[in-house]
Amino acid sequence: MTSSDVWDAATAGRYDEEAAHMFAPEVLDPAVDLLARLAGDGPALEFAIGTGRVAVPLADRGVRVSGIELSAPMADQLRGKRDDVPVVVGDMATSAVPGEFSLVYVVWNSIGNLRTQAEQVACFRNAARHLGQGGRFVVELWVPGIRRLPPGQAAVPFHVGRRHVGFDTYDLVTQQGTSHHYVRQGDDGSVRYSASNFRYIWPAECDLMAQLAGLEFERRTADWSGEPFTGDSESHVSIWRKPSGPERGGGSVR
Ligand SMILES: C[S@@+](CC[C@H](N)C(=O)[O-])C[C@H]1O[C@@H](n2cnc3c(N)ncnc32)[C@H](O)[C@@H]1O
């Protein structure tokens, strides 16, 4: 039983249009470039693959990509585009995909959709389980915006535009949060509200989860292009590696 919200058919149907800015070449190309380099000649596995925003262009580069996706309607959207990107409908914390991968990755903050620490640790372990020796796990994740949350303020806006207003609310005790979206529907003034729930994780907590999964820290940058990660970075791309040879440090990777 997963703690994640399950995305419905209506949400899946409008995903590509509403996420159009994330399909822009300047956003997507650096991610696909790095992931293709890390996969090398081996296969890649995307956790929370969605409609294939990243997987499809990666497959276009000749990488064999598989996916795990919780929402059947999201997986159906991907299957409508491609039949050479196999998807298991299931939970990225627990589901298994046949094969051994040189790369497992989860992008666009999707690991936060797992809303308990135990499931997030299980997700790291599941990544390690699917990797061959020397394989890498890549996570793209935002840094929780709570530096912008002074005492007494309940919400942090992340986008304020003509068509869309979005803000996050946080529970600082449980590390739970909710993203609230208000999207204008047309010119009649009507607005559609939607919300998605997450558990926020600091980079250091990610490193500990990786360590528990038997993965070694390799690199953290602020973005896909390799900009240095600093105290002001709002997101990170982090890479951990499954050790080659006899297991060192960390816990079991079974
Ligand atoms: C922001 S979308 C990202 C989709 C795609 N990776 C992309 O970059 O466009 C988040 C995705 O995570 C999926 N998801 C949420 N919880 C999940 C879970 N526990 N296991 C697998 N997928 C999950 C959602 O159904 C959704 O497709």
Side-chain angles (χ1 to χ4, degrees), residues 13-67:
R14 53 177 185 257
Y15 180 82
D16 287 9
E17 192 189 331
E18 292 200 342
H21 61 291
M22 293 299 286
F23 285 78
E26 61 273 23
V27 174
L28 212 38
D29 289 354
V32 175
D33 286 346
L34 180 61
L35 293 171
R37 273 206 308 282
L38 293 173
D41 294 333
L45 173 62
E46 179 168 351
F47 284 174
I49 193 170
T51 65
R53 181 181 67 88
V54 173
V56 167
L58 195 57
D60 286 341
R61 302 275 185 98
V63 178
R64 283 164 291 139
V65 189
S66 303

Side-chain angles (χ1 to χ4, degrees), residues 137-156:
F137 183 39
V138 178
V139 172
E140 178 193 25
L141 185 60
W142 60 301
V143 177
I146 55 182
R147 273 173 76 185
R148 293 162 57 205
L149 194 66
Q153 184 173 312
V156 174

Side-chain angles (χ1 to χ4, degrees), residues 4 15 46 48 53 69-70 74 91-92 107 110 113-114:
S4 298
Y15 180 82
E46 179 168 351
R53 181 181 67 88
E69 169 55 49
L70 186 64
M74 290 292 277
D91 182 357
M92 61 185 154
V107 297
S110 302
N113 290 325
L114 294 165

Side-chain angles (χ1 to χ4, degrees), residues 70-113:
L70 186 64
S71 155
M74 290 292 277
D76 287 343
Q77 292 286 329
L78 170 54
R79 291 186 185 119
K81 295 177 190 171
R82 308 280 290 225
D83 58 10
D84 61 345
V85 178
V87 183
V88 167
V89 174
D91 182 357
M92 61 185 154
T94 53
S95 295
V97 170
E100 190 172 90
F101 297 85
S102 60
L103 173 69
V104 178
Y105 64 95
V106 54
V107 297
W108 202 9
N109 311 323
S110 302
I111 197 166
N113 290 325

Side-chain angles (χ1 to χ4, degrees), residues 28-233:
L28 212 38
D29 289 354
V32 175
D33 286 346
L34 180 61
L35 293 171
R37 273 206 308 282
L38 293 173
D41 294 333
L45 173 62
E46 179 168 351
F47 284 174
I49 193 170
T51 65
R53 181 181 67 88
V54 173
V56 167
L58 195 57
D60 286 341
R61 302 275 185 98
V63 178
R64 283 164 291 139
V65 189
S66 303
I68 297 176
E69 169 55 49
L70 186 64
S71 155
M74 290 292 277
D76 287 343
Q77 292 286 329
L78 170 54
R79 291 186 185 119
K81 295 177 190 171
R82 308 280 290 225
D83 58 10
D84 61 345
V85 178
V87 183
V88 167
V89 174
D91 182 357
M92 61 185 154
T94 53
S95 295
V97 170
E100 190 172 90
F101 297 85
S102 60
L103 173 69
V104 178
Y105 64 95
V106 54
V107 297
W108 202 9
N109 311 323
S110 302
I111 197 166
N113 290 325
L114 294 165
R115 288 159 62 200
T116 68
Q117 189 182 54
E119 287 170 296
Q120 291 171 342
V121 170
C123 182
F124 273 78
R125 288 204 159 113
N126 202 25
R129 196 177 295 129
H130 283 89
L131 286 171
Q133 287 187 353
R136 287 165 173 110
F137 183 39
V138 178
V139 172
E140 178 193 25
L141 185 60
W142 60 301
V143 177
I146 55 182
R147 273 173 76 185
R148 293 162 57 205
L149 194 66
Q153 184 173 312
V156 174
F158 56 82
H159 184 255
V160 179
R162 218 181 68 80
R163 215 185 135 252
H164 171 249
V165 172
F167 59 86
D168 289 328
T169 50
Y170 294 92
D171 182 331
L172 301 185
V173 175
T174 61
Q175 291 188 207
Q176 301 294 314
T178 303
S179 296
H180 307 261
H181 299 270
Y182 295 82
V183 181
R184 193 159 138 169
Q185 295 305 287
D187 291 328
D188 65 355
S190 64
V191 166
R192 190 186 64 245
Y193 170 76
S194 63
S196 60
N197 299 299
F198 57 85
R199 177 180 186 271
Y200 65 84
I201 332 173
W202 296 102
E205 192 181 1
C206 291
D207 292 338
L208 187 57
M209 291 182 184
Q211 206 182 115
L212 290 170
L215 299 173
E216 292 179 348
F217 177 76
E218 190 168 88
R219 184 152 61 96
R220 170 164 297 122
T221 54
D223 61 19
W224 293 102
S225 308
E227 283 301 309
F229 181 77
T230 72
D232 290 326
S233 298

